[in-house]
Every structure is written in C-alpha cells, then in structure tokens.
Amino acid sequence: WMLEIGRRVASGEPATLPEWNDFSVYLLRGVKAFVVGLVYALPIIILGLCPFTLSLIGGGGQDANALAGIASMISLLISCVIFVYVIFLAFVQPVALMRFTMHGDDIKAGLAFGEVFRTVQEHLGTYLMVVLGTLIASLIAGAGTIACGIGLLFTVPYAQAIVGHLYGQAYVEATGGTPLGGTVPPPAAPAAPTDWTG
C-alpha cells in the first residue's frame, strides 16, 4: 500500500489514497519488496550471526576468559559496522524499492545495485530528507502506543502514507518521473506561429 502511494506520486496521479480493494496485489508486491529488502539486509543478518557463532566457539577451559574478551571486542566492532550499514541502508532502500515499483514490481530492477548506489550518490541531499522524514514518520507511528496500542491502527498507516509520499517525491526529484535508469522523452517541438506560411 505504501509503495502504491509512492508509485502514484511518482507517476503524477491525483493525490488520493489507494483503496484496499486490491489487497492481493498489495500482498504480492509486499512479498516481492520483502525479497528486495532482504537481499540488501543480508550483510546485517550475516554480521549479526557472528557474535552468536563466537559465543559457541568460546566453550570452557582456562582460555575461556581470553576468548570471551576477544569475542566481546569483535562483537563491539561488528556492532559499529552494522550501525554504519543501517544508515547506508536507510539511503539505499527508498531508491531500490521505488525502482522495483516503477519497473512493474520487477525484483531485478530493485537489485540493480550499480544504478541504486549511483542514484543515492547523485541525489544525496534528496535522500537525506527522505531518511529524516522516515525517522519522523516512525516517531508518529510509535505515538499510537499512547492510546493502549489502539492508536497504532491509525498512526502506522498514516506514517506509511507519509513514507510512500516521500519515496515518490524523491523518485521524481532523482529521475524527473521516468523509470530509474530510463530515458526522458524529448520535449515537444514548439508550435509554429499562426501567421507562419513557410
């Protein structure tokens, strides 16, 4: 649903919220978008498993304290790397998901790493605003817990609508409304003056 909002904004369609009558379409799009996001998140998943693996290797014995110290240092280093990658991912995800959406829900378009990274690099300021806007939307979504969790039924969709709109706006800013990596159609030829005879 959020990506449909982004698609409508990027396509210049009227600013109306999508209906829920295409739930199966949204579900399929969501599963495919999850696959795209999962591929980009693989480094976090792999790095996150490292401390667990180190704790299994540690075992007992007289070297256990030394191994525990080394494992703690490695875990701290991994946590720093994950933190930096999460920030990187916050910039990359809007581009990847909008490429996916604007290319007919094509997973390969979302995983065109070179195009995605180049778009972020060339429009860093635009995607910084998206990251900040997404952070604010997350705070809005969390505000629903104040009303014993019932408010989440309203604040989470509202926050997702904000994020979808931000994704769509950033897409237009980065591409002029064309599919990322696509070509911009040539401008129309100017009309001839009415008194022109030649």
Side-chain angles (χ1 to χ4, degrees):
W1 186 72
M2 182 266 287
L3 291 175
E4 176 63 17
I5 293 172
R7 187 197 66 76
R8 290 185 180 194
V9 171
S11 301
E13 294 181 19
T16 55
L17 291 177
E19 297 293 334
W20 282 98
N21 54 357
D22 289 332
F23 184 76
S24 60
V25 173
Y26 298 153
L27 184 62
L28 180 59
R29 180 179 291 164
V31 169
K32 289 181 177 180
F34 174 78
V35 171
V36 172
L38 183 64
V39 171
Y40 282 96
L42 276 177
I44 294 175
I45 296 168
I46 293 168
L47 288 171
L49 291 174
C50 288
F52 176 72
T53 305
L54 289 171
S55 67
L56 293 177
I57 294 172
Q62 61 185 154
D63 294 332
N65 289 338
L67 286 173
I70 293 171
S72 296
M73 293 284 288
I74 292 173
S75 294
L76 180 62
L77 179 61
I78 288 172
S79 296
C80 293
V81 172
I82 288 175
F83 177 74
V84 171
Y85 189 80
V86 165
I87 294 173
F88 168 76
L89 196 59
F91 283 84
V92 167
Q93 181 172 309
V95 180
L97 291 179
M98 284 305 295
R99 275 189 61 86
F100 156 78
T101 303
M102 297 302 288
H103 285 85
D105 297 344
D106 182 12
I107 291 175
K108 287 191 292 186
L111 298 178
F113 302 113
E115 289 292 327
V116 170
F117 299 154
R118 184 164 39 255
T119 301
V120 172
Q121 184 179 12
E122 292 174 357
H123 302 277
L124 194 58
T126 299
Y127 286 100
L128 174 60
M129 297 305 294
V130 172
V131 170
L132 294 175
T134 302
L135 181 61
I136 293 169
S138 299
L139 295 175
I140 292 170
T145 57
I146 295 172
C148 301
I150 297 172
L152 290 173
L153 295 173
F154 303 100
T155 57
V156 170
Y158 182 71
Q160 290 302 304
I162 292 171
V163 172
H165 210 282
L166 288 170
Y167 281 20
Q169 289 180 64
Y171 178 88
V172 171
E173 181 75 24
T175 67
T178 61
L180 284 164
T183 57
V184 179
T194 53
D195 60 349
W196 186 63
T197 59

